[in-house]
């Protein structure tokens, strides 16, 4: 048990009981408890494996390499449309967790086996994401912006491309691009 997680759980939280139940299950599976990104996080051999995420309507048990799990009980869902690796199981009550505790342990042990085996999730490369024409024209015409964009981490580049590409109209894409240029030039991501 990590004292930082104890401290986190000592504060009022809508999902306190659900987090405690999930914590008990995860610790019973011999994972190392840590506190990362403001949440209880569980690792195997120093590698982040599972994290507990309190949400507005649910509490989620999120597997970092969930896409590699067999999901024999069809419990996993994709956190977002563009999530490549992570998968989670959401709960709204302690009873839901208790009802499938043995199944959850099977998923957890499978996640541990994935870590032991060294399996990696093959993520899309930045080159696999389409660059909107409006942004490509800007990159082609402005070396400073191109250099700044290429210096960003792949995740930040991906976030910008998804944000620009999600706009249906060219004028909206241009507006989004113009608003983001100052962030790109100082090396910041869209959510920084």
């Amino acid at each position: 048990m990590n004292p930082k997680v104890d401290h986190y759980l000592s504060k009022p939280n809508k999902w306190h009981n659900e987090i405690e139940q999930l914590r008990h299950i995860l610790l019973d599976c011999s994972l190392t408890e840590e506190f990362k990104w403001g949440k209880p996080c569980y690792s195997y051999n120093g590698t982040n494996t599972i994290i507990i995420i309190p949400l507005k309507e649910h509490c989620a048990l999120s597997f970092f390499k969930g896409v590699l799990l067999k999901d024999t009980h069809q419990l996993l869902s994709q956190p977002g449309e563009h999530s490549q690796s992570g998968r989670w199981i959401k709960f709204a009550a302690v009873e839901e967790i208790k009802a499938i505790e043995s199944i959850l342990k099977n998923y957890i042990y499978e996640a541990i086996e994935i870590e032991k085996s060294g399996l990696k999730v093959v993520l899309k490369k930045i080159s696999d994401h389409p660059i909107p024409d409006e942004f490509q024209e800007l990159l082609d015409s402005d070396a400073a912006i191109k250099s700044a964009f290429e210096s960003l981490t792949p995740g930040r580049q991906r976030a910008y491309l998804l944000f620009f590409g999600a706009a249906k109209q060219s004028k909206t894409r241009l507006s989004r691009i113009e608003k983001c240029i100052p962030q790109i030039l100082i090396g910041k991501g869209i959510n920084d």
Side-chain angles (χ1 to χ4, degrees), residues 98-148:
K98 288 180 177 179
I100 62 166
E101 183 172 338
S102 63
I103 294 170
L104 286 178
K105 283 186 175 184
N106 289 337
Y107 277 59
I108 293 164
Y109 288 129
E110 184 182 352
I112 291 169
E113 288 303 315
I114 287 169
E115 291 307 329
K116 283 180 181 178
S117 73
L119 280 175
K120 303 278 185 210
V121 176
V122 178
L123 301 174
K124 279 183 163 183
K125 296 176 186 164
I126 292 303
S127 59
D128 294 337
H129 293 281
I131 299 175
D133 292 339
E134 298 83 356
F135 190 54
Q136 185 62 60
E137 288 173 18
L138 181 63
L139 294 175
D140 292 342
S141 66
D142 192 319
I145 293 172
K146 181 177 182 172
S147 175

Side-chain angles (χ1 to χ4, degrees), residues 75-107:
L75 298 174
L76 298 171
S77 61
Q78 201 171 347
E81 176 185 353
H82 300 292
S83 299
Q84 295 184 62
S85 181
R87 296 293 182 267
W88 63 17
I89 304 170
K90 296 192 286 187
F91 303 97
V94 171
E95 295 74 29
E96 293 176 13
I97 298 168
K98 288 180 177 179
I100 62 166
E101 183 172 338
S102 63
I103 294 170
L104 286 178
K105 283 186 175 184
N106 289 337
Y107 277 59

Side-chain angles (χ1 to χ4, degrees), residues 4 13 26 28 41-42 97 119 125 138 152:
K4 290 181 181 177
N13 183 320
L26 290 159
D28 195 40
C41 185
Y42 299 84
I97 298 168
L119 280 175
K125 296 176 186 164
L138 181 63
L152 295 172

Side-chain angles (χ1 to χ4, degrees), residues 63-80:
F63 296 82
F64 284 92
K65 294 181 182 176
V67 73
L68 299 178
L69 295 172
K70 292 180 187 126
D71 196 16
T72 53
H73 295 276
Q74 305 298 300
L75 298 174
L76 298 171
S77 61
Q78 201 171 347

